[in-house]
Amino acid sequence: MRKIITLLILGLMFSCNSTAQKKDMKEQKEFPVSKTEAEWKKELSNEEFYVLREEGTERPFTSPLNKEYREGTYHCAACDTPLFESEHKFDSGTGWPSFDREIEGNVAFGTDNKLGYSRNEEHCATCGGHLGHVFNDGPRKTTGKRHCINGVALKFVPAE
């Protein structure tokens, strides 16, 4: 009987996770631009808030940026940080703006397990806003990456 109780206690000790361990990587990192939920709600539209702050996903084929072909730069819709260049954009057929690379240092990466499997999640490195996910099924002739980004998380700035 003692062995069973000892095994149960040891099992409980190793299976328990503290709430600190469950915190999302994004919550633990401090970003240069930090605002309260109320401040973000005041500045962003409902859809922008849902995607950027609540890590939601816009419906595919709804963003006008999906078919934006002009030269320019795609900035974070929340803090205006440049994230992607138009020369790296491609039509993936998925319904979301897709890029084969980010502007290095301006995008932060983490892991998303919300669907029961791991995906590489992307956030703005300046404000922590959720952008989308990166997959390994992009153009083989360039990086092989597909940065699948919510259009509502972006603001297009045309080249001069």
Side-chain angles (χ1 to χ4, degrees):
M1 184 68 159
R2 264 190 186 164
K3 287 183 181 179
I4 293 173
I5 292 173
T6 303
L7 286 173
L8 283 172
I9 291 171
L10 284 173
L12 284 172
M13 286 174 53
F14 288 108
S15 67
C16 292
N17 287 329
S18 72
T19 54
Q21 290 172 319
K22 292 180 181 179
K23 277 189 178 178
D24 183 80
M25 193 184 221
K26 185 184 130 212
E27 290 176 334
Q28 293 177 6
K29 183 173 165 72
E30 289 188 31
F31 295 96
V33 173
S34 182
K35 298 179 183 183
T36 66
E37 187 173 317
E39 289 171 322
W40 283 122
K41 277 188 176 182
K42 206 182 268 187
E43 290 181 23
L44 302 172
S45 71
N46 289 340
E47 192 175 14
E48 288 171 335
F49 185 84
Y50 170 68
V51 169
L52 287 160
R53 308 315 310 168
E54 295 179 331
E55 299 180 346
T57 302
E58 69 186 357
R59 290 189 350 255
F61 302 101
T62 59
S63 173
L65 294 181
N66 195 38
K67 298 292 182 185
E68 177 61 68
Y69 298 113
R70 295 177 291 167
E71 285 187 35
T73 306
Y74 294 83
H75 291 228
C76 175
C79 70
D80 206 31
T81 296
L83 303 170
F84 302 96
E85 297 289 348
S86 62
E87 66 191 81
H88 302 294
K89 186 173 186 277
F90 67 97
D91 188 356
S92 65
T94 60
W96 290 281
S98 297
F99 305 86
D100 70 356
R101 70 197 76 177
E102 78 283 2
I103 295 175
E104 203 167 315
N106 291 359
V107 175
F109 299 90
T111 303
D112 171 9
N113 294 306
K114 292 182 197 98
L115 297 179
Y117 60 91
S118 288
R119 297 185 296 169
N120 293 321
E121 187 172 19
E122 298 183 77
H123 289 87
C124 173
T126 303
C127 71
H130 170 74
L131 303 171
H133 296 86
V134 62
F135 302 98
N136 292 319
D137 60 0
R140 297 280 175 234
K141 291 181 180 178
T142 58
T143 65
K145 301 288 185 194
R146 173 174 55 96
H147 296 260
C148 188
I149 307 300
N150 290 285
V152 73
L154 301 173
K155 176 177 82 172
F156 179 70
V157 178
E160 292 182 23

